[in-house]
Amino acid sequence: MSEMNGKLSFGEKFGYGLGDLAANFVFQALMALQLDFYTKTYGLSPAQAGTLFLVVGLGSAAFNPIMGVIADRTNTRWGRFRPWLLWTSVPFGVIGVLTFTTPNFSPAAKLIYAWITYLLLRLIYAANNVPYASLTGVMTEDPDERTSIASYRQLFANSAGFIVGSLAVPMVAYLDMETTPSVIS
């Protein structure tokens, strides 16, 4: 990384943006496809999926500032925020896959599985993304450079949303992957 108060290279800014692109592929897929997946493929009723999203979403919102405090108090040889990126990247990928997996369980066990995987995904996303966002403030002391790297990050995050919305959502509609399972009661 460049000097703390110096200019950041294009490569550093581009790399920082790519990190948020990767995380947002999962998050944008979650936002765009998870309800459809839970109700059409997985077999939850809309009420079950809505309750899951509401409760876990509120819990995740409460966890975000707590994660900020935890990350800010982290003290390692790699710094305060970088360890969280290292520690959460593999679990984030694994839990992302598990969240979109339909196990051959009983209806009650599938409901529990959905709650556990969705909750873990939202928590691991916060444990990854809150420290990631905090990097902007410590990569440089130059306010213009901070604005620049935040712009790269936002551009790449929005690009992930555009890609998921432009490709994944129409692909699911085109393939009509609905299996018409019985709704879990």
Side-chain angles (χ1 to χ4, degrees):
M1 195 175 306
S2 301
E3 299 241 354
M4 177 64 173
N5 55 3
K7 300 289 183 190
L8 298 173
S9 71
F10 170 76
E12 289 169 319
K13 295 174 185 179
F14 190 80
Y16 185 61
L18 284 177
D20 217 25
L21 176 81
N24 268 283
F25 274 127
V26 175
F27 190 74
Q28 295 297 330
L30 193 68
M31 295 296 105
L33 305 171
Q34 196 69 35
L35 180 61
D36 190 61
F37 170 76
Y38 276 151
T39 57
K40 291 183 178 178
T41 304
Y42 195 81
L44 297 182
S45 72
Q48 290 170 324
T51 302
L52 170 63
F53 292 155
L54 175 66
V55 173
V56 172
L58 290 173
S60 178
F63 180 67
N64 283 345
I66 295 167
M67 187 61 227
V69 170
I70 293 169
D72 202 40
R73 293 182 180 175
T74 299
N75 227 347
T76 71
R77 65 181 177 170
W78 302 290
R80 288 182 291 175
F81 307 123
R82 188 180 305 155
W84 291 99
L85 308 180
L86 299 171
W87 300 335
T88 61
S89 59
V90 172
F92 185 39
V94 170
I95 293 167
V97 169
L98 292 176
T99 302
F100 282 98
T101 300
T102 305
N104 189 16
F105 293 161
S106 71
K110 281 179 72 175
L111 184 59
I112 293 167
Y113 178 87
W115 273 85
I116 291 170
T117 56
Y118 186 70
L119 174 64
L120 287 175
L121 184 63
R122 292 297 299 264
L123 292 177
I124 201 78
Y125 177 78
N128 178 275
N129 203 28
V130 170
Y132 194 80
S134 300
L135 281 173
T136 305
V138 298
M139 288 176 71
T140 180
E141 291 180 1
D142 183 337
D144 292 333
E145 287 296 293
R146 286 181 179 178
T147 300
S148 178
I149 59 177
S151 298
Y152 274 79
R153 179 175 179 249
Q154 195 61 46
L155 174 70
F156 279 82
N158 289 343
S159 296
F162 177 77
I163 292 166
V164 168
S166 298
L167 299 176
V169 173
M171 182 180 69
V172 168
Y174 175 76
L175 296 174
D176 193 27
M177 297 179 144
E178 182 178 342
T179 59
T180 322
S182 60
V183 174
I184 298 172
S185 41

